Amino acid sequence: MSNIKQEPLVSVVIATYNMGQYLPQAVESILSQTWKNLEIIVVDDGSEDDTPKVMKQFSGNEKVHYIGNKNQGQPKAKNCGVRNAKGDFIAFCDADDLWEPYKLAKQMPLFNNLRTGVVYSEVSHIDEHNSRYEKPPAYARHRGKVTEQLLYKNFVPFGTAVIRRQCVLQNGMFDEEFRMGIDWDLWLRYSLDWEFDYVPDKTYVYREWSGQMSTNYRGRYDHAFRILKKFSSRHQGRLDKQSLKRAWADMHIGKGNIIARQEGTVKEPLASILKGISLSPGYWYGWKSLAKLALRRP
């Protein structure tokens, strides 16, 4: 059992919209932490389901704070939670996901390195019927100064991350200009001044279920281009030019690949992949993608 007097306060932000069916499970999983010095800030972004009703069961718990807002979107809801956080460390949980009880106990000791601003971990999976299953990680994980690696892939599973409050004070909150990719934008900005660390344990349980928003790959890429453009224009002097070129190339090639795969077309994917190759001719990913596209039937 941990000693609460020696533990820094961790504020856990849950931004929720119409997740009354799963929200109590998320809250209970956080309250079950072996790390006891925590608070939970639930920001209800204008839910139209039974969220206010199900949250009444926690009304007597001083660790749980419920904020009901009108619907303004995910970035504003998350920022509301961050603004109301009292802890020196801030963590996140999506309303349909879960924490393992040892999550904070595993991650918090890594903040003993004062250069560390973000500590993230591995994830496991659960379906809508609470059945567990495993998937291999989609991306390689990285530690230390990770700006270059983040330019290519957002390898930090959002809900696993715990951040130092100083990151928010120094590098800002979620950018409310964007509706998607807001965590990637946040990590890019934090990576300029802070180190990232990683716990290989699966401390976060990500739920996949039929009611989730459909995959909007065009929307994701549209926001990714906008995020990278804004980030690179503001911090160009701090970024390696070749890495940035390859990041742009990777983005164009990735977009071409997913459109080809999802829509079965050739013309638009070809233009995207060729654009990527022109930006970074030595990048093998572009030539490999071009070869795969050539084998597709129109």
Side-chain angles (χ1 to χ4, degrees):
M1 181 67 68
S2 57
N3 184 349
I4 192 170
K5 293 182 179 179
Q6 297 177 355
E7 295 174 344
L9 176 64
V10 179
S11 299
V12 187
V13 174
I14 302 178
T16 184
Y17 176 71
N18 289 346
M19 285 291 156
Q21 61 179 321
Y22 294 126
L23 180 57
Q25 284 182 263
V27 174
E28 290 288 0
S29 74
I30 297 166
L31 290 174
S32 298
Q33 288 293 293
T34 58
W35 184 280
K36 297 303 179 184
N37 196 14
L38 57 82
E39 64 171 359
I40 303 171
I41 303 159
V42 178
V43 181
D44 183 357
D45 189 36
S47 293
E48 298 173 343
D49 65 355
D50 61 347
T51 292
K53 181 179 178 180
V54 301
M55 283 303 298
K56 287 182 179 178
Q57 65 188 282
F58 302 106
S59 59
N61 192 319
E62 62 181 13
K63 291 185 176 182
V64 182
H65 312 285
Y66 174 70
I67 301 171
N69 290 340
K70 65 178 182 180
N71 182 256
Q72 300 179 84
Q74 182 185 178
K76 288 182 183 291
K78 283 183 166 61
N79 281 341
C80 175
V82 172
R83 281 192 295 270
N84 281 275
K86 297 181 176 67
D88 288 330
F89 297 88
I90 302 170
F92 304 94
C93 184
D94 284 343
D96 53 344
D97 296 341
L98 304 168
W99 278 18
E100 297 288 8
Y102 50 79
K103 176 176 168 58
L104 291 177
K106 290 281 187 179
Q107 291 181 252
M108 290 301 295
L110 277 66
F111 285 106
N112 289 335
N113 177 358
L114 298 181
R115 297 185 301 274
T116 298
V118 178
V119 176
Y120 67 102
S121 76
E122 208 49 75
V123 299
S124 58
H125 295 78
I126 194 170
D127 67 16
E128 57 195 303
H129 306 296
N130 293 314
S131 296
R132 297 288 192 106
Y133 58 98
E134 302 300 334
K135 284 184 173 182
Y139 304 121
R141 311 303 189 192
H142 302 277
R143 289 184 167 101
K145 298 295 290 183
V146 297
T147 303
E148 183 175 341
Q149 292 89 344
L150 275 170
L151 283 171
Y152 304 125
K153 304 293 180 187
N154 180 9
F155 55 82
V156 179
F158 171 69
T160 73
V162 182
I163 66 175
R164 195 183 294 273
R165 172 181 284 279
Q166 191 61 33
C167 292
V168 176
L169 299 176
Q170 186 170 322
N171 305 92
M173 295 190 290
F174 293 97
D175 191 331
E176 296 177 3
E177 175 187 334
F178 305 120
R179 291 183 300 103
M180 306 174 75
I182 59 173
D183 56 327
W184 184 45
D185 169 72
L186 198 73
W187 307 147
L188 283 169
R189 285 185 278 124
Y190 288 4
S191 72
L192 292 173
D193 297 315
W194 300 91
E195 293 181 6
F196 283 49
D197 213 337
Y198 165 69
V199 171
D201 301 77
K202 295 174 180 177
T203 75
Y204 191 83
V205 186
Y206 177 76
R207 190 185 301 273
E208 294 180 316
W209 58 287
S210 57
Q212 284 174 314
M213 195 181 304
S214 61
T215 304
N216 182 359
Y217 52 88
R218 285 188 176 270
R220 285 205 318 271
Y221 270 97
D222 174 63
H223 277 77
F225 277 104
R226 289 168 56 197
I227 287 167
L228 187 56
K229 181 178 180 181
K230 186 172 183 178
F231 177 72
S232 60
S233 65
R234 290 192 172 188
H235 305 288
Q236 194 167 5
R238 302 182 65 181
L239 302 175
D240 178 74
K241 291 181 180 179
Q242 287 304 115
S243 296
L244 190 56
K245 272 189 176 182
R246 183 164 288 190
W248 280 115
D250 187 88
M251 192 99 73
H252 284 285
I253 297 163
K255 180 182 177 182
N257 282 335
I258 197 166
I259 291 174
R261 186 166 63 250
Q262 296 293 331
E263 301 178 18
T265 58
V266 172
K267 186 176 180 180
E268 186 181 0
L270 177 61
S272 244
I273 292 169
L274 289 176
K275 174 68 173 177
I277 291 173
S278 72
L279 289 170
S280 184
Y283 190 23
W284 64 268
Y285 179 43
W287 296 106
K288 180 180 177 182
S289 299
L290 186 62
K292 287 176 69 175
L293 185 66
L295 295 174
R296 285 182 177 272
R297 293 183 181 272

